[in-house]
Amino acid sequence: LAACGGGGYGHSHDHDHADAIVSGELTITPGFARRPTEGAPATAGYFSMTSGEIDDALVAVTTEDAASVELHTVGMTNGVMRMRQIEKIILPAGEEVSLKPGGLHLMIMQPSARLMHAETIEVTLTFETAEPVTLSLPLKGIGEEDDHHHDH
């Protein structure tokens, strides 16, 4: 069984990296993107990134399925939860940075109508140091992200 990738390889993560993409110093674990509803001005995307021995930063994201993709964070401003655009997402060496609901996320602006019925959206991540990585995020409707039964 160890030959099937079981050995630790120096990683002490307690979650499954079966779908992880490794590119140079980076390990990227796909999450999901919210399936846009008709006429929605934007939708969101989520995934996790870990930089290896060196610090890096996610500086841009592109997709053919939207007008643009912005990097956003959520924080409190005067007691109100607000989203704001940020220039980059810092990836400290050896630390996992997760984009997830209620925190850092991709804001996919003016998503194409195709995404209402598509299974995935492809996004290309651009970093300060690492090579660009193309990621395929499954599209999930509201409430679907907790569905691990896959009974369709």
Side-chain angles (χ1 to χ4, degrees):
L1 280 176
C4 295
Y9 300 112
H11 293 293
S12 59
H13 297 301
D14 52 41
H15 47 267
D16 187 13
H17 280 286
D19 299 325
I21 297 166
V22 179
S23 173
E25 291 285 321
L26 282 178
T27 302
I28 300 169
T29 306
F32 69 97
R34 188 81 67 206
R35 184 183 305 282
T37 54
E38 188 168 357
T43 190
Y46 311 102
F47 55 93
S48 298
M49 302 171 284
T50 306
S51 188
E53 302 293 316
I54 56 168
D55 293 345
D56 207 337
L58 176 65
V59 295
V61 181
T62 56
T63 181
E64 293 180 1
D65 286 311
S68 64
V69 182
E70 298 176 358
L71 305 175
H72 279 212
T73 189
V74 175
M76 295 297 280
T77 306
N78 299 326
V80 179
M81 198 73 112
R82 293 193 189 278
M83 269 193 320
R84 65 183 173 86
Q85 188 175 356
I86 52 178
E87 283 186 22
K88 59 187 174 182
I89 295 175
I90 304 291
L91 304 175
E95 289 184 29
E96 183 173 71
V97 175
S98 294
L99 281 69
K100 57 185 187 267
L104 295 167
H105 59 279
L106 301 183
M107 187 53 63
I108 301 163
M109 310 302 285
Q110 297 169 31
S112 77
R114 184 191 83 79
L115 295 179
M116 289 191 301
H117 308 289
E119 292 298 312
T120 60
I121 179 175
E122 284 204 346
V123 294
T124 300
L125 312 178
T126 303
F127 298 91
E128 277 183 352
T129 305
E131 293 293 310
V133 175
T134 298
L135 193 60
S136 184
L137 297 173
L139 289 159
K140 299 188 177 188
I142 301 260
E144 286 182 46
E145 61 268 24
D146 296 325
D147 178 14
H148 295 295
H149 303 297
H150 302 296
D151 53 0
H152 11 265

